[in-house]
């Protein structure tokens, strides 16, 4: 298990397929761990040196002592590239990972090549909802939140068709550190990148899910409309579109990155 230490002294877990191929950095959703990308890894690794990591307080990464804004969350990703001696990488992020990608593209554009923003939003202004989630997870842990999360993240059709895949994600949620979830939830609550992303000039693909209960497709369309030249793809999926529609998701990302 590879680890690196951030500039604020947290130990974060990462995986690196290594080699001399172009680099693709993956950033996963709130409440999951780097294994979220397992459906894409064989295809991605056939063409790219794939780097993926557990966010602070997620998976096997150390939890933070308090809230973490996107300046800090994005610094974690950039510092991982520094640790590996990588000057520039293509970036693919889903949900909070996509929010991290937007921040990276507006504040560290020289480090990012192509940008893929999946099932994400430039702002999530439901402050009371986020405050309630933070209070619940700090008081009772992750368990009370999971049934509602599953229904927003996967269609009922998929929950019935592939219960094993859903169970793997539930296990990720169950093992997410409450302080890590709370810190990242605060970052989402306080974020508004709607104006900032208008300055992005990187080649960008936006992927949304038609049935996404967390970041509905209109959020993706708004992002694509705000970034000059951005492409937009909508999949027949809910929030974790890379798991619910792994083939279509992989094809969309690979087709974009290779152009």
């Amino acid at each position: 298990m590879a680890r690196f230490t951030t500039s604020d002294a947290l130990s974060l877990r990462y995986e690196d397929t290594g080699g001399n191929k172009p680099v693709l950095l993956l950033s996963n959703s709130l409440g999951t761990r780097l294994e979220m990308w397992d459906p894409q890894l064989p295809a991605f690794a056939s063409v790219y040196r794939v780097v993926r990591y557990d966010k602070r307080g997620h998976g096997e990464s150390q939890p933070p002592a308090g809230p973490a804004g996107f300046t800090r969350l994005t610094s974690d990703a950039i510092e991982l590239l520094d640790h590996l001696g990588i000057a520039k990488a293509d970036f693919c992020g889903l949900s909070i990972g996509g929010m991290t990608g937007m921040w990276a593209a507006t504040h560290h554009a020289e480090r990012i090549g192509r940008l893929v923003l999946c099932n994400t939003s430039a702002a999530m202004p439901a402050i009371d909802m986020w405050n309630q989630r933070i209070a619940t997870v700090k008081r009772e842990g992750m368990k009370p939140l999971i049934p509602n999360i599953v229904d927003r993240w996967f269609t009922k059709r998929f929950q019935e068709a592939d219960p094993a895949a859903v169970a793997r994600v539930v296990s990720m949620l169950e093992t997410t550190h409450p302080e890590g979830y709370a810190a990242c939830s605060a970052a989402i609550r306080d974020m508004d990148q709607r104006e900032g992303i208008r300055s992005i000039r990187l080649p960008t693909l936006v992927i949304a899910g038609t049935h996404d209960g967390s970041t509905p497709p209109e959020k993706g369309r708004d992002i694509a409309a705000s970034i000059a030249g951005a492409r937009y793809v909508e999949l027949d999926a809910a929030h974790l579109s890379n798991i619910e529609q792994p083939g279509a998701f992989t094809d969309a990302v690979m087709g974009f990155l290779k152009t």
Side-chain angles (χ1 to χ4, degrees):
M1 179 177 64
R3 309 189 71 87
F4 79 105
T5 302
T6 65
S7 59
D8 64 340
L10 281 190
S11 175
L12 305 188
R13 172 205 182 204
Y14 71 92
E15 286 187 1
D16 175 13
T17 60
N20 297 317
K21 299 172 183 175
V23 179
L24 175 62
L25 178 62
L26 303 177
S27 186
N28 41 284
S29 72
L30 181 67
T32 66
R33 50 193 290 155
L34 60 81
E35 285 84 0
M36 188 197 87
W37 297 105
D38 281 355
Q40 282 69 51
L41 190 61
F44 287 174
S46 70
V47 180
Y48 297 96
R49 174 184 176 183
V50 179
V51 178
R52 51 184 182 162
Y53 65 102
D54 286 339
K55 285 180 182 61
R56 47 184 57 210
H58 288 62
E60 297 175 40
S61 287
Q62 186 178 353
F70 277 95
T71 298
R72 180 65 259 173
L73 292 174
T74 306
S75 292
D76 291 347
I78 298 301
E79 289 171 12
L80 173 55
L81 295 180
D82 292 342
H83 172 76
L84 296 172
I86 296 169
K88 196 169 198 175
D90 290 341
F91 188 103
C92 177
L94 191 148
S95 192
I96 191 174
M99 297 167 191
T100 302
M102 286 183 269
W103 194 273
T106 53
H107 293 80
H108 304 275
E110 74 284 356
R111 305 299 298 274
I112 308 299
R114 289 180 173 269
L115 180 66
V116 184
L117 306 172
C118 316
N119 300 85
T120 192
S121 176
M124 299 281 282
I127 294 174
D128 289 343
M129 180 270 287
W130 286 110
N131 286 338
Q132 290 171 9
R133 284 192 197 177
I134 291 167
T136 297
V137 77
K138 286 187 172 183
R139 184 177 62 248
E140 303 176 52
M142 290 295 300
K143 190 172 182 180
L145 302 179
I146 292 175
N148 182 258
I149 290 173
V150 168
D151 284 340
R152 286 184 287 106
W153 283 11
F154 297 112
T155 63
K156 290 293 187 183
R157 172 194 65 205
F158 184 76
Q159 291 180 47
E160 294 171 359
D162 198 343
V166 176
R168 287 192 291 272
V169 173
V170 168
S171 178
M172 295 182 198
L173 289 163
E174 290 173 339
T175 56
T176 297
H177 196 288
E179 287 298 331
Y181 189 90
C184 291
S185 294
I188 297 172
R189 177 196 64 195
D190 298 338
M191 172 200 68
D192 189 343
Q193 301 192 68
R194 286 173 290 188
E195 287 303 316
I197 62 174
R198 296 182 185 278
S199 68
I200 294 175
R201 295 295 180 264
L202 303 174
T204 302
L205 170 67
V206 180
I207 296 177
T210 301
H211 314 290
D212 190 339
S214 293
T215 52
E218 56 264 28
K219 301 291 188 182
R221 289 193 286 269
D222 288 344
I223 293 170
S226 298
I227 299 174
R231 302 184 193 180
Y232 176 79
V233 172
E234 190 169 314
L235 301 179
D236 183 17
H239 191 56
L240 295 193
S241 61
N242 75 303
I243 294 176
E244 184 157 354
Q245 292 287 348
F249 182 96
T250 302
D251 289 347
V253 175
M254 293 287 284
F256 168 73
L257 292 177
K258 290 189 293 187
T259 57

